[in-house]
Amino acid sequence: MQRTQNYISFSRWFTLLITTSVLFWPVLTIAATPVEIEQWLQTHNNYRTLHGVSTVTWSKAVAASAQDYADTCPSGHSGSGYGENLAWASYNMGVSSVVQMWYNEESDYDYDNPGFSSETGHFTQVVWKATTEIGCAFATGCDSNWPYMANAWVCQYNPPGNFIGQFAKNVFPPNSGNEDDSDEGATPVNSGTIVSILHLLLLK
């Protein structure tokens, strides 16, 4: 009888422990280290150089905004006023792989019919000519119920990209000279937030 009571008590304690762990899943936010900052910049700038646009620099103000938003474990865009790319994964795949995933949308971009597409919005923001500054952030332990969103990356861009009417003069084919076509009446893709629209969900 005593053994049964002890087993029941242990079972209740273990259930409480598991429930508490789920309810209070620890979120770890990590500011970018100097090495990671260099990785963010180098990976972005390698792709930007390939497309004939100037390199970007790291902005502490933009990075602080990105980190503040990453700390919330985002499930959608922030509406910060900066351009924004997001990614989620069940594991920490590293800075270079995150930017590469965004850039890989390039294969779907139609240079003969330049404009916004939900299939290429991350890529066009990465290589957007008018963007001069970036700031990026990372958070882990974000969601115990949806493991594929346990790790979150946020990159913000200043000035923002993905303006309707400005793609031809901001997004160029790789290994080609800038074709600075003018576009009149440009408006942002999302007039409320001016951000890249598509979320990138990465499943391991």
Side-chain angles (χ1 to χ4, degrees):
M1 182 65 178
Q2 181 65 34
R3 182 176 299 177
T4 301
Q5 289 177 339
N6 289 342
Y7 176 78
I8 293 173
S9 297
F10 174 79
S11 297
R12 289 175 177 172
W13 174 84
F14 186 74
T15 301
L16 178 61
L17 176 63
I18 295 300
T19 302
T20 303
S21 297
V22 171
L23 291 177
F24 299 99
W25 188 263
V27 176
L28 180 61
T29 57
I30 306 170
T33 66
V35 171
E36 289 169 333
I37 291 173
E38 181 59 30
Q39 290 175 337
W40 283 117
L41 287 173
Q42 182 176 356
T43 311
H44 274 85
N45 287 333
N46 285 346
Y47 291 131
R48 291 177 64 85
T49 299
L50 180 64
H51 288 261
V53 300
S54 60
T55 58
V56 290
T57 59
W58 188 262
S59 165
K60 291 182 179 179
V62 178
S65 174
Q67 189 65 65
D68 285 346
Y69 192 51
D71 290 351
T72 70
C73 289
S75 59
H77 281 295
S78 65
S80 65
Y82 295 122
E84 188 170 86
N85 280 344
L86 306 177
W88 297 269
S90 60
Y91 62 105
N92 186 350
M93 59 183 169
V95 168
S96 297
S97 294
V98 171
V99 183
Q100 181 181 3
M101 292 296 294
W102 292 333
Y103 178 81
N104 283 348
E105 297 174 351
E106 189 270 342
S107 61
D108 294 320
Y109 188 73
D110 186 357
Y111 294 98
D112 294 326
N113 185 28
F116 181 81
S117 166
S118 61
E119 301 298 321
T120 58
H122 296 99
F123 155 69
T124 50
Q125 176 60 88
V126 167
V127 301
W128 194 263
K129 179 182 177 181
T131 295
T132 60
E133 298 178 323
I134 67 169
C136 304
F138 170 69
T140 188
C142 280
D143 198 323
S144 60
N145 295 316
W146 298 96
Y148 67 85
M149 296 183 72
N151 298 278
W153 292 263
V154 178
C155 269
Q156 294 182 344
Y157 302 80
N158 184 47
N162 288 348
F163 277 81
I164 292 176
Q166 293 189 2
F167 281 80
K169 66 177 183 179
N170 280 283
V171 181
F172 310 109
N175 300 312
S176 66
N178 289 347
E179 299 174 5
D180 195 7
D181 298 333
S182 61
D183 297 289
E184 300 298 330
T187 56
V189 169
N190 185 329
S191 59
T193 58
I194 318 177
V195 294
S196 302
I197 290 177
L198 182 65
H199 309 334
L200 186 61
L201 299 180
L202 304 171
L203 303 178
K204 186 174 182 181

